[in-house]
Amino acid sequence: MTNTPITSPSSDDIVLDDDDLTQRLDREADAILAGGERRTFGETASIRQAVREDVGLVREKISGRVHRVQEDIQDNPMKATLYALGIGVIIGMILRR
């Protein structure tokens, strides 16, 4: 009689019924991430060019946010004033300590 050692199963030994679905979802997720990386990290001539492109994107996002904040302040001036007053009071209390 041969004694075979009994070992605990590892995660590689466990087979799930929905393994095909999991693998398919993993492949699709990898494809989505790879597509996003190709769009984000496209071909650039140099690091300087990549930095210029990134600076341009940041400027566009900031200008859009500033425009939106200006519109919100114009739509609700009392609310914006009260928020500014509250923030000023909190900062004053912190600096006073």
Side-chain angles (χ1 to χ4, degrees), residues 40 50-63:
T40 302
V51 169
R52 285 183 183 160
E53 291 173 1
D54 290 345
V55 167
L57 291 173
V58 169
R59 282 184 182 160
E60 288 176 14
K61 286 186 179 187
I62 289 175
S63 67

Side-chain angles (χ1 to χ4, degrees), residues 4-20:
T4 58
I6 299 174
T7 60
S8 61
S10 69
S11 61
D12 295 332
D13 296 334
I14 299 172
V15 178
L16 300 174
D17 292 335
D18 62 344
D19 199 18
D20 293 330

Side-chain angles (χ1 to χ4, degrees), residues 29-42:
D30 290 341
I32 290 170
L33 291 175
E37 286 177 0
R38 281 193 295 273
R39 283 191 308 270
T40 302
F41 303 111

